[in-house]
Amino acid sequence: MVRKRTLKKTISATGVGLHNGEKVTLTLRPAEANTGIVFKRVDLPEPNTIQATPDAVHDTRMCSALQVGGVRVATVEHVMSAIAGLGVDNILIEVDASEIPIMDGSAGPFVYLLQEAGIVEQDAPKKFIRVK
């Protein structure tokens, strides 16, 4: 059985938002099994979380943006690529601005952060979709 995966420990980094130029602190936290990928804006009052699902895709011009209600997080594509590439299923991504920091413009810095935090298997089976 292939198991779901999350982080071993919390890790943070600081960078600059590509479109707004704001200093952004990004914190990647372990999450319980079956949580999924969740973005949380820590600069806003509650409720302020966005589950990374197709329904949350709000805009794809110039970046990939997720939005639920009035809560928006933009430029998620590089961190999402790193998460998918390393097979992480459950993670809480906290940011203190409206977009993820651009870092060097690739998924590389996010892969580094995830590997530094460590990836652990959880006691939950991973689910797959079979395309026929």
Side-chain angles (χ1 to χ4, degrees):
M1 170 177 57
V2 179
R3 297 184 184 279
K4 291 189 178 187
R5 303 170 79 190
T6 191
L7 301 182
K8 187 182 293 186
K9 66 179 183 179
T10 299
I11 193 163
S12 294
T14 302
V16 175
L18 174 65
H19 301 288
N20 62 19
E22 293 178 15
K23 180 179 174 184
V24 183
T25 299
L26 171 82
T27 303
L28 306 173
R29 297 185 184 279
E32 296 294 319
N34 303 313
T35 298
I37 300 167
V38 178
F39 289 86
K40 182 175 183 179
R41 292 275 306 272
V42 297
D43 60 320
L44 298 176
E46 299 286 337
N48 56 22
T49 59
I50 302 171
Q51 187 83 30
T53 65
D55 292 338
V57 176
H58 177 70
D59 192 4
T60 56
R61 292 171 292 144
M62 306 294 285
C63 71
S64 297
L66 304 176
Q67 184 170 329
V68 173
V71 180
R72 175 183 163 103
V73 177
T75 320
V76 301
E77 56 272 20
H78 300 136
V79 71
M80 291 290 290
S81 294
I83 290 166
L86 293 173
V88 174
D89 303 286
N90 301 298
I91 187 169
L92 176 61
I93 304 161
E94 295 179 345
V95 291
D96 64 357
S98 62
E99 70 178 319
I100 304 297
I102 193 62
M103 309 305 249
D104 73 354
S106 76
F110 301 108
V111 169
Y112 175 79
L113 286 170
L114 293 164
Q115 289 177 329
E116 279 296 306
I119 298 170
V120 296
E121 287 189 344
Q122 297 177 295
D123 192 23
K126 191 176 280 223
K127 296 179 182 176
F128 296 92
I129 297 172
R130 178 177 295 173
V131 179
K132 296 181 178 185

